[in-house]
Amino acid sequence: MALPVAFFALFFAWPVAAIVARGLKTDGAWHLGRIADVVAQPDIRHVLWFTTWQALASTALTLLLALPAGYVFARLDFPGKQLLRAVVTVPFVLPTVVAGSAFLALVGRGGLLDELWGVRLDTTVWAILLAHVFFNFAVVVRTVGGLWAQLDPRQEEAARMLGASPLTAWRKVTLPALAPAVAAAALMVFLFTFTSFGVVQILGGPTFSTLEVEIYRQTSEVFDLSTAAVLTLVQFAAVCAVLAVHAWTVRRRETALRLVDPTVTARRPHGAGQWALLASVLAVVALLLVLPLAVLVRRSLDAPGLGYYRALTRADGGTFLVAPVHAVWTSLEYAVAATAIAVVIGGLAAAALARRDAGRLVRGFDALLMLPLGVSAVTVGFGFLIALDKPPLDLRQSWILVPLAQALVGAPFVVRTMLPVLRAVDVRLREAAAVLGASPWRVWREVDLPLVRRALLVAAGFAFAVSLGEFGATVFIARPDNPTLPVAVARLLSRPGDLNYGQAMALSTILMVVCAAALLVLERLRTDRTGEF
């Protein structure tokens, strides 16, 4: 635990504490009354209200559209199911900047809806809500569908034989069993949308602002660290509450149900109702998930002769100091370094947490590992610039600063992926190897590593995809001569002109292809029984 604790203390707790202290402390005195003053401001209260309202609306809309898909993946067997599972998961591993760009190409100025019917939604809240559904659809499908596939269908069949109607049997038998998973999925979607940044930054414009966007505006445009610090504390408190409820629901889901092999519960659709449900789910996937990505690709090809892609190889001396295509190689290099850091830190933390003799303090660290996913990435990025500016840790000019920030987000995914597998390793295998004279290092290399190699590769793939798309912290610390792909896309979208817009679509397409390729590798590596996030 020594290295993971030191890593999170140095590169997470310290930067966050530094920016909060900078905002609320003056001449050695704390000004906690500033919290009430900021929250009482009408514009800040409006931001708080919109952040909460849009998160609740996005969560409800996502559940409404994704729960039928969860049933289809859990109970129906049809050709192309594995491919469709990968298609559904692609938006989740895409950066939020790409999700915003895709919907901007669909509903924005000159988008598909504008061309066909003269309708624009980029200035309305509907664009944000639909983009959040696009991004979080897979969370509900994987979380709820993964459990649904393992519920014994004979319980519902027994209720039907006793005279219950299909709806009554589902409401009385299946729904109570699914309730913990639905609650867990809803809380995760709420967490992701409550801290939304890239989607709202691109689609919200000056009209709509979440806490995360307002923190960015206060730090980078208004330079009001006091207000940013207060908003960070408000978001931190909300995220802690959500994570506490999430942990409670996950524990209920893991301990309250008896599960069966998911490979025996899926059957071919029968009856008009199931075929209609399958068709409707395919239509939702096509319109809500595939269409925005297809429009994104199409907009990147509008210029004749791949003009937008060729323009990426030229430096214009304005938006970037280098050619935009340079961001592709920079992002790949940063993502590889961040993945290596995340695998080491997350792997060590998972190994410590998996020990049967782990103390309460070590087990409590498990919950703290999830905080980087919910705490403002903008705060972390700006905190890096404030905290890591003096020797021996003056890293402001070092390239390693970006991978460190990205690894903070990737490490929790590594822990969540490896921890169940490490806990499943039979301790007697380790004890037998030790009795035969193997050193602890050799026991890990000869016993643990072969058993967790697949999970380690999957964890590395998730960390790579997440690191590749990290935007909130990177936008502060990426150097002008080394922008990452999400930062480059956001900068191009912020500038007027068709060429800048087309280049943003081209870069988003490249980023989408790279993320999709990483996802396909994950789908090949994962087993049939590791279908949940």
mmCIF file of all heavy atoms in Angstrom, residues 10-22 215 219 225 228 232 376-390 393 395-396 401 405 408 472-473 476-477:
data_model
loop_
_atom_site.group_PDB
_atom_site.id
_atom_site.type_symbol
_atom_site.label_atom_id
_atom_site.label_comp_id
_atom_site.label_asym_id
_atom_site.label_seq_id
_atom_site.Cartn_x
_atom_site.Cartn_y
_atom_site.Cartn_z
ATOM 1 N N LEU A 10 0.153 12.459 -2.984
ATOM 2 C CA LEU A 10 0.988 13.470 -3.630
ATOM 3 C C LEU A 10 0.326 14.090 -4.846
ATOM 4 O O LEU A 10 0.420 15.307 -5.068
ATOM 5 C CB LEU A 10 2.327 12.835 -4.029
ATOM 6 C CG LEU A 10 3.454 13.777 -4.449
ATOM 7 C CD1 LEU A 10 3.804 14.729 -3.327
ATOM 8 C CD2 LEU A 10 4.675 12.978 -4.866
ATOM 9 N N PHE A 11 -0.372 13.270 -5.645
ATOM 10 C CA PHE A 11 -0.889 13.765 -6.922
ATOM 11 C C PHE A 11 -2.407 13.917 -6.957
ATOM 12 O O PHE A 11 -2.958 14.274 -7.998
ATOM 13 C CB PHE A 11 -0.448 12.839 -8.054
ATOM 14 C CG PHE A 11 1.044 12.775 -8.206
ATOM 15 C CD1 PHE A 11 1.739 11.605 -7.939
ATOM 16 C CD2 PHE A 11 1.760 13.889 -8.595
ATOM 17 C CE1 PHE A 11 3.110 11.541 -8.072
ATOM 18 C CE2 PHE A 11 3.137 13.836 -8.728
ATOM 19 C CZ PHE A 11 3.826 12.662 -8.466
ATOM 20 N N PHE A 12 -3.067 13.655 -5.831
ATOM 21 C CA PHE A 12 -4.505 13.905 -5.775
ATOM 22 C C PHE A 12 -4.870 14.773 -4.572
ATOM 23 O O PHE A 12 -5.401 15.877 -4.719
ATOM 24 C CB PHE A 12 -5.286 12.593 -5.733
ATOM 25 C CG PHE A 12 -6.767 12.775 -5.564
ATOM 26 C CD1 PHE A 12 -7.526 13.352 -6.570
ATOM 27 C CD2 PHE A 12 -7.406 12.399 -4.389
ATOM 28 C CE1 PHE A 12 -8.897 13.541 -6.413
ATOM 29 C CE2 PHE A 12 -8.768 12.576 -4.223
ATOM 30 C CZ PHE A 12 -9.509 13.157 -5.241
ATOM 31 N N ALA A 13 -4.576 14.269 -3.363
ATOM 32 C CA ALA A 13 -4.972 15.006 -2.162
ATOM 33 C C ALA A 13 -4.268 16.355 -2.073
ATOM 34 O O ALA A 13 -4.901 17.376 -1.750
ATOM 35 C CB ALA A 13 -4.665 14.163 -0.917
ATOM 36 N N TRP A 14 -2.976 16.383 -2.359
ATOM 37 C CA TRP A 14 -2.224 17.630 -2.229
ATOM 38 C C TRP A 14 -2.679 18.685 -3.236
ATOM 39 O O TRP A 14 -2.953 19.835 -2.858
ATOM 40 C CB TRP A 14 -0.721 17.349 -2.352
ATOM 41 C CG TRP A 14 0.152 18.545 -2.101
ATOM 42 C CD1 TRP A 14 -0.205 19.701 -1.468
ATOM 43 C CD2 TRP A 14 1.513 18.705 -2.473
ATOM 44 N NE1 TRP A 14 0.846 20.576 -1.416
ATOM 45 C CE2 TRP A 14 1.927 19.995 -2.034
ATOM 46 C CE3 TRP A 14 2.446 17.895 -3.123
ATOM 47 C CZ2 TRP A 14 3.206 20.475 -2.234
ATOM 48 C CZ3 TRP A 14 3.733 18.373 -3.321
ATOM 49 C CH2 TRP A 14 4.108 19.648 -2.885
ATOM 50 N N PRO A 15 -2.797 18.377 -4.539
ATOM 51 C CA PRO A 15 -3.270 19.408 -5.473
ATOM 52 C C PRO A 15 -4.665 19.927 -5.155
ATOM 53 O O PRO A 15 -4.916 21.129 -5.244
ATOM 54 C CB PRO A 15 -3.233 18.695 -6.833
ATOM 55 C CG PRO A 15 -2.214 17.627 -6.675
ATOM 56 C CD PRO A 15 -2.363 17.164 -5.262
ATOM 57 N N VAL A 16 -5.585 19.013 -4.775
ATOM 58 C CA VAL A 16 -6.941 19.458 -4.443
ATOM 59 C C VAL A 16 -6.921 20.335 -3.200
ATOM 60 O O VAL A 16 -7.564 21.397 -3.152
ATOM 61 C CB VAL A 16 -7.872 18.244 -4.246
ATOM 62 C CG1 VAL A 16 -9.231 18.695 -3.721
ATOM 63 C CG2 VAL A 16 -8.044 17.489 -5.555
ATOM 64 N N ALA A 17 -6.178 19.905 -2.183
ATOM 65 C CA ALA A 17 -6.085 20.711 -0.965
ATOM 66 C C ALA A 17 -5.420 22.052 -1.237
ATOM 67 O O ALA A 17 -5.802 23.076 -0.651
ATOM 68 C CB ALA A 17 -5.301 19.953 0.109
ATOM 69 N N ALA A 18 -4.443 22.080 -2.145
ATOM 70 C CA ALA A 18 -3.731 23.324 -2.440
ATOM 71 C C ALA A 18 -4.645 24.362 -3.072
ATOM 72 O O ALA A 18 -4.625 25.544 -2.700
ATOM 73 C CB ALA A 18 -2.541 23.030 -3.358
ATOM 74 N N ILE A 19 -5.474 23.934 -4.024
ATOM 75 C CA ILE A 19 -6.347 24.913 -4.686
ATOM 76 C C ILE A 19 -7.478 25.348 -3.761
ATOM 77 O O ILE A 19 -7.895 26.514 -3.787
ATOM 78 C CB ILE A 19 -6.902 24.344 -6.019
ATOM 79 C CG1 ILE A 19 -7.520 25.473 -6.836
ATOM 80 C CG2 ILE A 19 -7.902 23.242 -5.784
ATOM 81 C CD1 ILE A 19 -7.900 25.061 -8.240
ATOM 82 N N VAL A 20 -7.958 24.448 -2.907
ATOM 83 C CA VAL A 20 -8.989 24.848 -1.942
ATOM 84 C C VAL A 20 -8.412 25.837 -0.936
ATOM 85 O O VAL A 20 -9.038 26.858 -0.600
ATOM 86 C CB VAL A 20 -9.563 23.610 -1.227
ATOM 87 C CG1 VAL A 20 -10.468 24.026 -0.071
ATOM 88 C CG2 VAL A 20 -10.343 22.745 -2.218
ATOM 89 N N ALA A 21 -7.195 25.538 -0.454
ATOM 90 C CA ALA A 21 -6.563 26.456 0.497
ATOM 91 C C ALA A 21 -6.263 27.803 -0.146
ATOM 92 O O ALA A 21 -6.420 28.853 0.481
ATOM 93 C CB ALA A 21 -5.275 25.831 1.041
ATOM 94 N N ARG A 22 -5.823 27.797 -1.392
ATOM 95 C CA ARG A 22 -5.535 29.051 -2.085
ATOM 96 C C ARG A 22 -6.794 29.912 -2.200
ATOM 97 O O ARG A 22 -6.730 31.148 -2.134
ATOM 98 C CB ARG A 22 -4.965 28.754 -3.479
ATOM 99 C CG ARG A 22 -4.618 29.974 -4.309
ATOM 100 C CD ARG A 22 -3.393 30.684 -3.769
ATOM 101 N NE ARG A 22 -2.204 29.849 -3.878
ATOM 102 C CZ ARG A 22 -1.381 29.869 -4.946
ATOM 103 N NH1 ARG A 22 -1.649 30.667 -5.968
ATOM 104 N NH2 ARG A 22 -0.311 29.100 -4.970
ATOM 105 N N ILE A 215 -16.518 25.684 -12.527
ATOM 106 C CA ILE A 215 -15.196 25.663 -11.903
ATOM 107 C C ILE A 215 -14.126 26.019 -12.931
ATOM 108 O O ILE A 215 -13.202 26.803 -12.654
ATOM 109 C CB ILE A 215 -14.913 24.283 -11.274
ATOM 110 C CG1 ILE A 215 -15.839 24.045 -10.075
ATOM 111 C CG2 ILE A 215 -13.464 24.169 -10.830
ATOM 112 C CD1 ILE A 215 -15.778 22.642 -9.520
ATOM 113 N N THR A 219 -11.760 29.471 -12.817
ATOM 114 C CA THR A 219 -10.311 29.366 -12.697
ATOM 115 C C THR A 219 -9.572 29.899 -13.916
ATOM 116 O O THR A 219 -8.554 30.576 -13.789
ATOM 117 C CB THR A 219 -9.897 27.905 -12.466
ATOM 118 O OG1 THR A 219 -10.499 27.073 -13.466
ATOM 119 C CG2 THR A 219 -10.342 27.423 -11.105
ATOM 120 N N LEU A 225 -10.325 32.150 -7.686
ATOM 121 C CA LEU A 225 -10.038 30.871 -7.048
ATOM 122 C C LEU A 225 -10.920 30.640 -5.833
ATOM 123 O O LEU A 225 -11.189 29.496 -5.459
ATOM 124 C CB LEU A 225 -8.566 30.811 -6.642
ATOM 125 C CG LEU A 225 -7.542 30.748 -7.773
ATOM 126 C CD1 LEU A 225 -6.151 30.560 -7.199
ATOM 127 C CD2 LEU A 225 -7.868 29.622 -8.734
ATOM 128 N N ALA A 228 -14.119 29.132 -7.135
ATOM 129 C CA ALA A 228 -13.803 27.795 -7.633
ATOM 130 C C ALA A 228 -13.586 26.818 -6.489
ATOM 131 O O ALA A 228 -14.011 25.656 -6.557
ATOM 132 C CB ALA A 228 -12.571 27.849 -8.531
ATOM 133 N N THR A 232 -15.749 23.491 -5.701
ATOM 134 C CA THR A 232 -15.067 22.204 -5.590
ATOM 135 C C THR A 232 -15.520 21.459 -4.339
ATOM 136 O O THR A 232 -15.780 20.245 -4.378
ATOM 137 C CB THR A 232 -13.549 22.410 -5.550
ATOM 138 O OG1 THR A 232 -13.113 22.998 -6.785
ATOM 139 C CG2 THR A 232 -12.822 21.097 -5.337
ATOM 140 N N SER A 376 -13.708 17.050 -9.168
ATOM 141 C CA SER A 376 -13.498 17.865 -10.361
ATOM 142 C C SER A 376 -12.117 17.649 -10.959
ATOM 143 O O SER A 376 -11.091 17.929 -10.332
ATOM 144 C CB SER A 376 -13.677 19.346 -10.008
ATOM 145 O OG SER A 376 -13.246 20.165 -11.066
ATOM 146 N N ALA A 377 -12.088 17.145 -12.194
ATOM 147 C CA ALA A 377 -10.817 16.989 -12.898
ATOM 148 C C ALA A 377 -10.192 18.344 -13.185
ATOM 149 O O ALA A 377 -8.965 18.478 -13.243
ATOM 150 C CB ALA A 377 -11.035 16.220 -14.206
ATOM 151 N N VAL A 378 -11.021 19.356 -13.378
ATOM 152 C CA VAL A 378 -10.519 20.710 -13.573
ATOM 153 C C VAL A 378 -9.746 21.164 -12.347
ATOM 154 O O VAL A 378 -8.668 21.763 -12.446
ATOM 155 C CB VAL A 378 -11.688 21.672 -13.870
ATOM 156 C CG1 VAL A 378 -11.222 23.111 -13.855
ATOM 157 C CG2 VAL A 378 -12.323 21.326 -15.209
ATOM 158 N N THR A 379 -10.283 20.869 -11.152
ATOM 159 C CA THR A 379 -9.603 21.227 -9.920
ATOM 160 C C THR A 379 -8.268 20.506 -9.804
ATOM 161 O O THR A 379 -7.258 21.094 -9.392
ATOM 162 C CB THR A 379 -10.495 20.884 -8.711
ATOM 163 O OG1 THR A 379 -11.710 21.625 -8.802
ATOM 164 C CG2 THR A 379 -9.808 21.210 -7.406
ATOM 165 N N VAL A 380 -8.251 19.221 -10.158
ATOM 166 C CA VAL A 380 -7.012 18.458 -10.092
ATOM 167 C C VAL A 380 -5.975 19.053 -11.041
ATOM 168 O O VAL A 380 -4.806 19.246 -10.670
ATOM 169 C CB VAL A 380 -7.268 16.977 -10.422
ATOM 170 C CG1 VAL A 380 -5.955 16.212 -10.499
ATOM 171 C CG2 VAL A 380 -8.178 16.346 -9.378
ATOM 172 N N GLY A 381 -6.383 19.355 -12.277
ATOM 173 C CA GLY A 381 -5.441 19.900 -13.247
ATOM 174 C C GLY A 381 -4.880 21.241 -12.825
ATOM 175 O O GLY A 381 -3.664 21.474 -12.888
ATOM 176 N N PHE A 382 -5.739 22.146 -12.370
ATOM 177 C CA PHE A 382 -5.262 23.448 -11.928
ATOM 178 C C PHE A 382 -4.465 23.312 -10.635
ATOM 179 O O PHE A 382 -3.500 24.051 -10.406
ATOM 180 C CB PHE A 382 -6.442 24.402 -11.728
ATOM 181 C CG PHE A 382 -6.045 25.842 -11.643
ATOM 182 C CD1 PHE A 382 -5.471 26.486 -12.731
ATOM 183 C CD2 PHE A 382 -6.237 26.560 -10.478
ATOM 184 C CE1 PHE A 382 -5.104 27.810 -12.653
ATOM 185 C CE2 PHE A 382 -5.874 27.892 -10.394
ATOM 186 C CZ PHE A 382 -5.303 28.521 -11.487
ATOM 187 N N GLY A 383 -4.857 22.349 -9.782
ATOM 188 C CA GLY A 383 -4.099 22.097 -8.564
ATOM 189 C C GLY A 383 -2.693 21.622 -8.850
ATOM 190 O O GLY A 383 -1.754 21.929 -8.106
ATOM 191 N N PHE A 384 -2.503 20.876 -9.946
ATOM 192 C CA PHE A 384 -1.166 20.460 -10.358
ATOM 193 C C PHE A 384 -0.270 21.681 -10.580
ATOM 194 O O PHE A 384 0.894 21.700 -10.168
ATOM 195 C CB PHE A 384 -1.249 19.637 -11.638
ATOM 196 C CG PHE A 384 -1.359 18.154 -11.402
ATOM 197 C CD1 PHE A 384 -2.101 17.661 -10.349
ATOM 198 C CD2 PHE A 384 -0.745 17.256 -12.245
ATOM 199 C CE1 PHE A 384 -2.216 16.302 -10.121
ATOM 200 C CE2 PHE A 384 -0.843 15.894 -12.036
ATOM 201 C CZ PHE A 384 -1.580 15.410 -10.972
ATOM 202 N N LEU A 385 -0.819 22.680 -11.256
ATOM 203 C CA LEU A 385 -0.022 23.872 -11.560
ATOM 204 C C LEU A 385 0.330 24.646 -10.294
ATOM 205 O O LEU A 385 1.388 25.293 -10.227
ATOM 206 C CB LEU A 385 -0.797 24.779 -12.517
ATOM 207 C CG LEU A 385 -1.136 24.191 -13.884
ATOM 208 C CD1 LEU A 385 -1.894 25.208 -14.726
ATOM 209 C CD2 LEU A 385 0.122 23.730 -14.611
ATOM 210 N N ILE A 386 -0.543 24.604 -9.287
ATOM 211 C CA ILE A 386 -0.311 25.353 -8.054
ATOM 212 C C ILE A 386 0.597 24.585 -7.091
ATOM 213 O O ILE A 386 1.524 25.155 -6.495
ATOM 214 C CB ILE A 386 -1.652 25.673 -7.361
ATOM 215 C CG1 ILE A 386 -2.451 26.669 -8.211
ATOM 216 C CG2 ILE A 386 -1.438 26.228 -5.957
ATOM 217 C CD1 ILE A 386 -3.812 26.991 -7.652
ATOM 218 N N ALA A 387 0.349 23.272 -6.953
ATOM 219 C CA ALA A 387 1.060 22.493 -5.933
ATOM 220 C C ALA A 387 2.427 22.003 -6.404
ATOM 221 O O ALA A 387 3.368 21.934 -5.611
ATOM 222 C CB ALA A 387 0.197 21.309 -5.494
ATOM 223 N N LEU A 388 2.529 21.648 -7.667
ATOM 224 C CA LEU A 388 3.770 21.039 -8.170
ATOM 225 C C LEU A 388 4.621 22.087 -8.884
ATOM 226 O O LEU A 388 5.014 21.919 -10.049
ATOM 227 C CB LEU A 388 3.437 19.874 -9.106
ATOM 228 C CG LEU A 388 2.512 18.803 -8.516
ATOM 229 C CD1 LEU A 388 2.227 17.719 -9.534
ATOM 230 C CD2 LEU A 388 3.119 18.202 -7.248
ATOM 231 N N ASP A 389 4.911 23.185 -8.179
ATOM 232 C CA ASP A 389 5.634 24.291 -8.803
ATOM 233 C C ASP A 389 6.923 24.656 -8.075
ATOM 234 O O ASP A 389 7.520 25.691 -8.352
ATOM 235 C CB ASP A 389 4.732 25.528 -8.867
ATOM 236 C CG ASP A 389 4.319 26.017 -7.486
ATOM 237 O OD1 ASP A 389 4.439 25.236 -6.520
ATOM 238 O OD2 ASP A 389 3.869 27.179 -7.376
ATOM 239 N N LYS A 390 7.340 23.810 -7.108
ATOM 240 C CA LYS A 390 8.553 24.094 -6.358
ATOM 241 C C LYS A 390 9.418 22.849 -6.291
ATOM 242 O O LYS A 390 8.904 21.733 -6.238
ATOM 243 C CB LYS A 390 8.203 24.568 -4.939
ATOM 244 C CG LYS A 390 7.426 25.878 -4.886
ATOM 245 C CD LYS A 390 7.080 26.236 -3.449
ATOM 246 C CE LYS A 390 6.259 27.536 -3.400
ATOM 247 N NZ LYS A 390 5.885 27.890 -2.011
ATOM 248 N N LEU A 393 9.690 18.971 -6.569
ATOM 249 C CA LEU A 393 8.595 18.516 -7.434
ATOM 250 C C LEU A 393 8.069 19.671 -8.271
ATOM 251 O O LEU A 393 6.878 19.965 -8.289
ATOM 252 C CB LEU A 393 7.465 17.911 -6.598
ATOM 253 C CG LEU A 393 7.683 16.480 -6.109
ATOM 254 C CD1 LEU A 393 6.539 16.040 -5.215
ATOM 255 C CD2 LEU A 393 7.845 15.518 -7.269
ATOM 256 N N LEU A 395 7.130 20.258 -11.541
ATOM 257 C CA LEU A 395 6.858 19.451 -12.732
ATOM 258 C C LEU A 395 6.091 20.221 -13.805
ATOM 259 O O LEU A 395 5.637 19.622 -14.777
ATOM 260 C CB LEU A 395 6.043 18.209 -12.337
ATOM 261 C CG LEU A 395 6.684 17.276 -11.304
ATOM 262 C CD1 LEU A 395 5.736 16.126 -10.978
ATOM 263 C CD2 LEU A 395 8.020 16.746 -11.805
ATOM 264 N N ARG A 396 5.955 21.536 -13.645
ATOM 265 C CA ARG A 396 5.119 22.287 -14.575
ATOM 266 C C ARG A 396 5.632 22.214 -16.006
ATOM 267 O O ARG A 396 4.845 22.274 -16.952
ATOM 268 C CB ARG A 396 5.026 23.742 -14.126
ATOM 269 C CG ARG A 396 4.186 23.972 -12.887
ATOM 270 C CD ARG A 396 4.201 25.405 -12.471
ATOM 271 N NE ARG A 396 5.560 25.849 -12.154
ATOM 272 C CZ ARG A 396 5.892 27.091 -11.865
ATOM 273 N NH1 ARG A 396 4.962 28.032 -11.867
ATOM 274 N NH2 ARG A 396 7.148 27.409 -11.579
ATOM 275 N N LEU A 401 3.745 15.314 -16.354
ATOM 276 C CA LEU A 401 2.612 15.867 -15.626
ATOM 277 C C LEU A 401 1.285 15.368 -16.198
ATOM 278 O O LEU A 401 0.363 15.036 -15.451
ATOM 279 C CB LEU A 401 2.664 17.394 -15.679
ATOM 280 C CG LEU A 401 1.879 18.151 -14.601
ATOM 281 C CD1 LEU A 401 2.394 17.810 -13.221
ATOM 282 C CD2 LEU A 401 1.968 19.655 -14.831
ATOM 283 N N ALA A 405 -1.696 12.916 -14.310
ATOM 284 C CA ALA A 405 -3.108 13.278 -14.163
ATOM 285 C C ALA A 405 -4.013 12.222 -14.780
ATOM 286 O O ALA A 405 -5.065 11.879 -14.221
ATOM 287 C CB ALA A 405 -3.360 14.643 -14.802
ATOM 288 N N LEU A 408 -4.392 9.060 -12.617
ATOM 289 C CA LEU A 408 -5.314 9.193 -11.491
ATOM 290 C C LEU A 408 -6.702 8.674 -11.848
ATOM 291 O O LEU A 408 -7.405 8.106 -11.013
ATOM 292 C CB LEU A 408 -5.412 10.659 -11.068
ATOM 293 C CG LEU A 408 -4.320 11.206 -10.157
ATOM 294 C CD1 LEU A 408 -4.495 12.700 -9.980
ATOM 295 C CD2 LEU A 408 -4.338 10.512 -8.809
ATOM 296 N N GLY A 472 -10.610 16.983 -18.673
ATOM 297 C CA GLY A 472 -10.786 18.013 -17.658
ATOM 298 C C GLY A 472 -9.491 18.506 -17.057
ATOM 299 O O GLY A 472 -9.281 19.717 -16.904
ATOM 300 N N ALA A 473 -8.599 17.590 -16.671
ATOM 301 C CA ALA A 473 -7.322 17.991 -16.088
ATOM 302 C C ALA A 473 -6.298 18.334 -17.165
ATOM 303 O O ALA A 473 -5.510 19.277 -17.018
ATOM 304 C CB ALA A 473 -6.787 16.869 -15.190
ATOM 305 N N PHE A 476 -5.705 21.906 -18.717
ATOM 306 C CA PHE A 476 -4.930 22.895 -17.975
ATOM 307 C C PHE A 476 -3.424 22.688 -18.134
ATOM 308 O O PHE A 476 -2.660 23.657 -18.131
ATOM 309 C CB PHE A 476 -5.278 22.833 -16.486
ATOM 310 C CG PHE A 476 -6.440 23.694 -16.100
ATOM 311 C CD1 PHE A 476 -7.695 23.150 -15.965
ATOM 312 C CD2 PHE A 476 -6.274 25.044 -15.882
ATOM 313 C CE1 PHE A 476 -8.769 23.938 -15.604
ATOM 314 C CE2 PHE A 476 -7.343 25.847 -15.528
ATOM 315 C CZ PHE A 476 -8.596 25.292 -15.386
ATOM 316 N N ILE A 477 -2.988 21.444 -18.212
ATOM 317 C CA ILE A 477 -1.556 21.161 -18.081
ATOM 318 C C ILE A 477 -0.894 20.735 -19.376
ATOM 319 O O ILE A 477 0.338 20.634 -19.417
ATOM 320 C CB ILE A 477 -1.334 20.075 -17.007
ATOM 321 C CG1 ILE A 477 -2.114 18.802 -17.339
ATOM 322 C CG2 ILE A 477 -1.738 20.592 -15.642
ATOM 323 C CD1 ILE A 477 -1.962 17.705 -16.298
#
